[in-house]
Amino acid sequence: MELLSSPARAEHLNAPAAAALQPLRVEYSSRGAAAALAARDVLAVLDFSPAMPASTDPRHLQVPLEAGTLPAQCEIWRGNGAVELGAEGALRWSSDGDYAFVALELDEAQFGGIAATAQAAYAQLSAWRSRSATPHLLRIWNYVDAINLGEDDAERYRQFCVGRAAGMDAALTANYPAASAIGVRDGHRVLQVCALAARRAGATVENPRQVSAWRYPRQYGPTAPGFARAMRAPAQPPQLYISGTAAVVGHASHHANDVAAQLDETLANISSLLAAAGSAAVLGGAHSILKAYVRRAADAELVRERLHARLGADTPLLILLGDICRAELLVEIDGIHNG
Ligand code: 3EB
């Protein structure tokens, strides 16, 4: 009774639909970043096209991942209102009031290694989040140079996980965002972290086929990876942010050296995740927009063909050459599912 008499609570009960945000609009385009950045409603351009002169637009993040199949494409996020821009130290953001794109690029040399750099990045992200009008981090992408370099616990991915955990605030560790951690290979030790934040909280989703990453046993590193398998956006119609998903069943990698079998296992994982999220739509076609990260360039065409065969040729797909956080994994998929 006390809760119901509170005005905020009553408003929520009376108008749940009005509380939902519009879905974020995301598309791939081969027209180049400059054309996309000219549009007023654009919140972010994740630019996977070959390196251009460095950009000063805070909405533009140039990610050094090569296209696996041509043409090279950019990922464009469109908001639903006037876009405001800002910066805070090394962090930059853009927001339409409902959603924000936020990005950080930190030079590891300034922090003394990947763990300290990841800690600094997540501490800055946490500080920004806590003061922002869009404090709820739904989805994070991490681009780490030479991600598999180093043996056992010294592997750079594992050290990244140590630092990430140390930098996250309590709000983040209580509700891990969906995430991807992808290896770039340009030799520049610059950690790139970018995220989608929202004015309202999402709801995390775990996958019954997979051990939650934050519960991975010690054999995978000193600090378990802090991410949720997916995030249900606070949007209507429904939208689901799918974390980087690979051929991990339980906590073990499957199908070493067999990219086709890894891809099928990955799709089984995503189907299971969609079921757990209560999605009414199957993966693919106009409902999904997906990125596949492929370790070996020679596998890129097979991955593209198999995904289009399994999901429909109309599925927006971006194939990127990148490393996956376990050396035996050859392919990983992330994306957004509308449904
Ligand atoms: C896995 O399932 C594969 O550390 O943020 C996927 C997505 C993976 C995100 C991360 C790692 C991350 O464990 C690796």
Side-chain angles (χ1 to χ4, degrees), residues 140 142 157 160-161 164 179-181 210 213 216 225-227 229 243-246 248 324-326 329 332:
I140 305 187
N142 304 280
Y157 172 64
F160 162 80
C161 288
R164 170 170 60 179
S180 298
Q210 300 184 295
Y216 278 173
F227 71 97
R229 295 295 179 187
S243 288
T245 307
V248 172
I324 293 76
C325 61
R326 294 185 189 178
L329 294 174
E332 179 171 307

Side-chain angles (χ1 to χ4, degrees), residues 154-176:
E155 185 186 34
R156 283 168 51 78
Y157 172 64
R158 295 186 181 192
Q159 288 301 310
F160 162 80
C161 288
V162 171
R164 170 170 60 179
M168 279 185 172
D169 69 8
L172 276 178
T173 51
N175 250 320
Y176 289 119

